Amino acid sequence: MAAGGGATTSRSLQVTPTWAVATVCFIFISFSILIEHLIHLLGNWLKRKRKTALFEAVEGLKTVLIVLGFMSLILTVSQRWISKICIPNKIANTMLPCRQTTETKTTKALAYHEHVWIDSLQGRRLAASDDDTSGSSDYCASKGMTSLISQEGLNQLSIFLFVLAVMQIVYCVLTMALGRAKMKRWKTWERETETVEYLAANDPDRFRYARQTTFARRHISSFTSTSLHLWIKCFFNQFFNSVAKVDYLTLRHGFISAHLSTNSSFNFQKYIHRSLEDDFKVIVGISPFMWFLVVILMLLDVQGWNVYLWVSFIPLTIVLVLGTKLQVIVARMALQLKDDHNVIKGAPLVHPNDNFFWFKNPEFVLTLLHYTLFVNAFEIAFLVWVTLLYGIHSCYHERLDIIIIRAVLAVTVQVLCSYITLPLYALVTQMGSHFKKALLEEQTANAIKRWHDGVKHKSKKQQDMSQSGHDMSSTNFSSNRTLGSLDLSYHHRTPILSDPASFPGKTEIIEGDQEISQEGPDPAIVTSNEIQIDRN
């Protein structure tokens, strides 16, 4: 515990006041229970609102938190043994993230600097009497070797993994929120499809040249004669009104015609909204391959390589290529429309097809978007981590121009992905050969709702009928009791099954096939068969 002139460096729980331990435990336990309760309330609210996809996204969030908990637990339990793994000094001084000749806070923390190694080792030895954290360093130093990674380094690594997971979740939520805010005007476009003006403009008996439609004029020009020209045009087109109203209405018409026949009242905007919810539960998670990608990126973080600078360009490149590709798909649909029909009848009709997409798989676009968001989240998380942990003057911030470039690129990718790529993805990926399960869920929900309304109406109708029937039966029953008593006093006998007075309004079988229908009781009528039975 004492170091130098008796200054206190650290204390174990053996010499820590119990009130301090209890206070810290209470704060951490309360905070953890609060977070768990908030997540539970969010899940229940999504269940009540029937947001199944978002509820599954919350379950995916729980999975990420569980993985983080296991990582933290494993690092905490095994850090003492990991720090006692010794490696030769020559190997320990290879592939360092910072220069050895620069004394920085980072190099001291990670024991990378050659000139300050002895001083830091002596400092740890002074505190070794009561501090077990320095035992591993002394253990390796006594052998003339270096610890694989110190306990302090393991703690810093645990913090980085936590920051990365949090940034991935926050980044995905922010991207989805901004993208859906951009797509709010689609609701207005959807309402326009129910107006008389829209129906008149898309009269099914109206003939037009395909190249004269608004959709064709937007995407077809002399500059789209070759694939190279088409890609160049679409690259710049994504920055200016990436999703126009004519594109939305045309693709909506093509989707409904391909998958829903003549159901023109289908709400395409709500369907896209539900599809995005299904996609959100995918991109909010962190797959095992993504964790492996983190390992690769941390391996290549070598001083002088500037790997993270080049990595920061990858999300930007993917986002721009994705936006261009999605614009090309819409343009190729317009070209196909012109080539197939010189004259069209009614609204322009495009045909959804998987051949427009890479590898004939529209879901591959979501995979690229997922990894793009993750790599960009990694960039932001790393900048936040090194800044908070080591300060702005650490070796990671030696070149301020590189830091500025990385920060600007991260913000740029956020804006492009939210306002350009995500709306394009949400609309254009519906143009595959197969519809997404959100369509089936809506149709099933509508069918169940209609069935429920029908059963409810039928049940109410039957209840009303039974109520009126009960009232009539009560009246008839009272009348029958009066008439029956009169009959008993007149004939001095018990009623039999064929007695008309016992079953008013019923058909009585008298003899053979002869039937007599009576509307009401008549105690004066007594058949010959009945008289014969009484006499016997």
Side-chain angles (χ1 to χ4, degrees):
M1 278 176 49
T8 301
T9 57
S10 63
R11 295 189 300 177
S12 66
L13 292 180
Q14 293 175 331
V15 291
T16 302
T18 55
W19 63 264
V21 177
T23 301
V24 173
C25 287
F26 175 77
I27 293 174
F28 275 92
I29 291 173
S30 301
F31 186 69
S32 301
I33 293 176
L34 177 62
I35 293 178
E36 190 276 335
H37 185 64
L38 291 176
I39 295 176
H40 181 71
L41 291 178
L42 178 60
N44 289 339
W45 181 81
L46 292 174
K47 275 187 175 181
R48 289 196 302 270
K49 296 295 182 180
R50 298 180 181 178
K51 302 288 185 179
T52 306
L54 292 181
F55 175 75
E56 294 178 0
V58 173
E59 293 298 316
L61 172 62
K62 291 181 181 179
T63 303
V64 173
L65 295 178
I66 291 174
V67 172
L68 283 176
F70 276 115
M71 287 183 180
S72 179
L73 178 63
I74 293 173
L75 286 174
T76 302
V77 172
S78 62
Q79 63 179 354
R80 188 172 181 181
W81 291 276
I82 294 176
S83 61
K84 286 187 177 181
I85 299 176
C86 304
I87 59 176
N89 293 331
K90 184 178 181 180
I91 298 178
N93 293 327
T94 58
M95 298 184 68
L96 300 180
C98 296
R99 273 190 231 133
Q100 287 184 317
T101 56
T102 303
E103 294 187 9
T104 61
K105 183 177 179 179
T106 306
T107 56
K108 290 178 183 178
L110 299 178
Y112 287 149
H113 193 272
E114 186 176 50
H115 298 290
V116 297
W117 170 257
I118 297 176
D119 295 335
S120 61
L121 181 59
Q122 290 176 349
R124 286 195 297 269
R125 282 178 177 174
L126 291 174
S129 57
D130 294 309
D131 190 4
D132 291 337
T133 60
S134 62
S136 59
S137 300
D138 293 340
Y139 175 78
C140 293
S142 63
K143 295 183 177 182
M145 304 176 75
T146 304
S147 176
L148 176 65
I149 182 171
S150 65
Q151 293 188 28
E152 185 179 1
L154 288 172
N155 292 330
Q156 294 167 351
L157 179 61
S158 177
I159 294 173
F160 169 71
L161 294 177
F162 175 78
V163 173
L164 173 61
V166 171
M167 289 304 301
Q168 163 69 4
I169 296 171
V170 172
Y171 199 78
C172 291
V173 171
L174 184 62
T175 302
M176 279 291 180
L178 294 177
R180 288 173 62 171
K182 176 71 180 296
M183 292 184 286
K184 261 189 173 180
R185 56 179 179 173
W186 294 6
K187 186 181 295 185
T188 305
W189 297 347
E190 188 69 30
R191 293 197 194 100
E192 289 185 12
T193 61
E194 302 174 359
T195 60
V196 178
E197 292 79 5
Y198 175 82
L199 297 176
N202 296 275
D203 185 2
D205 296 328
R206 178 184 178 187
F207 290 90
R208 289 178 293 175
Y209 286 107
R211 63 177 181 272
Q212 292 181 351
T213 60
T214 308
F215 179 69
R217 290 199 305 267
R218 170 175 164 80
H219 296 284
I220 300 176
S221 64
S222 59
F223 200 70
T224 58
S225 56
T226 64
S227 296
L228 179 61
H229 290 162
L230 180 63
W231 274 80
I232 293 175
K233 177 181 180 295
C234 291
F235 174 79
F236 292 101
N237 194 35
Q238 66 177 317
F239 300 108
F240 306 98
N241 197 14
S242 58
V243 178
K245 182 168 73 172
V246 63
D247 294 342
Y248 175 85
L249 297 177
T250 303
L251 269 59
R252 173 189 181 275
H253 178 62
F255 178 87
I256 293 176
S257 300
H259 302 300
L260 299 171
S261 185
T262 58
N263 187 9
S264 59
S265 61
F266 176 71
N267 195 315
F268 190 53
Q269 185 267 338
K270 286 186 177 180
Y271 165 69
I272 293 177
H273 184 82
R274 285 188 299 272
S275 298
L276 274 181
E277 291 179 354
D278 291 334
D279 296 336
F280 178 71
K281 70 183 181 183
V282 176
I283 66 173
V284 76
I286 302 178
S287 65
F289 184 80
M290 288 180 173
W291 288 116
F292 180 73
L293 181 62
V294 172
V295 175
I296 297 299
L297 292 175
M298 299 192 72
L299 174 66
L300 300 177
D301 182 27
V302 180
Q303 198 281 327
W305 290 11
N306 294 326
V307 172
Y308 286 175
L309 174 62
W310 305 115
V311 168
S312 60
F313 284 96
I314 294 177
L316 178 63
T317 304
I318 295 178
V319 165
L320 293 177
V321 172
L322 275 180
T324 305
K325 174 61 178 177
L326 295 173
Q327 287 283 352
V328 168
I329 291 175
V330 180
R332 290 195 184 279
M333 288 183 178
L335 291 171
Q336 186 184 58
L337 176 66
K338 183 181 74 70
D339 295 338
D340 294 345
H341 306 284
N342 190 26
V343 178
I344 62 173
K345 182 180 180 181
L349 180 61
V350 296
H351 301 284
N353 199 322
D354 287 344
N355 293 327
F356 292 118
F357 298 89
W358 284 316
F359 309 112
K360 298 181 180 181
N361 185 14
E363 294 182 359
F364 181 69
V365 180
L366 179 63
T367 303
L368 288 178
L369 195 61
H370 189 190
Y371 280 90
T372 300
L373 293 175
F374 180 76
V375 173
N376 205 47
F378 176 86
E379 278 289 304
I380 298 176
F382 191 84
L383 287 175
V384 172
W385 175 65
V386 297
T387 302
L388 295 179
L389 199 61
Y390 304 115
I392 194 66
H393 300 293
S394 67
C395 65
Y396 290 102
H397 297 90
E398 285 183 345
R399 295 190 58 180
L400 186 60
D401 54 342
I402 293 180
I403 300 301
I404 294 176
I405 291 174
R406 290 172 60 186
V408 170
L409 288 176
V411 175
T412 303
V413 170
Q414 170 71 38
V415 174
L416 291 177
C417 190
S418 301
Y419 288 99
I420 295 178
T421 309
L422 186 63
L424 272 172
Y425 160 80
L427 178 63
V428 179
T429 52
Q430 310 302 332
M431 294 295 104
S433 301
H434 307 283
F435 56 83
K436 298 182 179 181
K437 69 175 184 178
L439 175 64
L440 185 60
E441 290 176 356
E442 182 190 11
Q443 298 299 315
T444 305
N446 290 336
I448 293 176
K449 185 178 180 181
R450 288 194 298 269
W451 172 81
H452 180 266
D453 294 339
V455 170
K456 188 176 180 181
H457 178 71
K458 185 177 180 181
S459 177
K460 185 178 180 181
K461 186 176 180 181
Q462 289 178 350
Q463 186 177 2
D464 294 340
M465 292 178 63
S466 63
Q467 179 91 15
S468 60
H470 178 70
D471 295 340
M472 292 178 62
S473 299
S474 299
T475 304
N476 292 336
F477 181 71
S478 301
S479 176
N480 289 341
R481 288 188 62 183
T482 304
L483 294 174
S485 60
L486 292 174
D487 187 43
L488 282 173
S489 62
Y490 185 77
H491 295 285
H492 301 282
R493 65 180 179 87
T494 58
I496 59 177
L497 294 176
S498 60
D499 193 345
S502 301
F503 301 92
K506 300 292 183 179
T507 300
E508 300 297 330
I509 301 177
I510 305 301
E511 291 181 357
D513 297 331
Q514 182 181 1
E515 295 183 357
I516 299 175
S517 176
Q518 290 184 325
E519 298 297 331
D522 190 356
I525 297 178
V526 181
T527 64
S528 60
N529 287 345
E530 294 169 356
I531 297 173
Q532 183 67 30
I533 292 173
D534 291 336
R535 289 175 180 176
N536 294 333

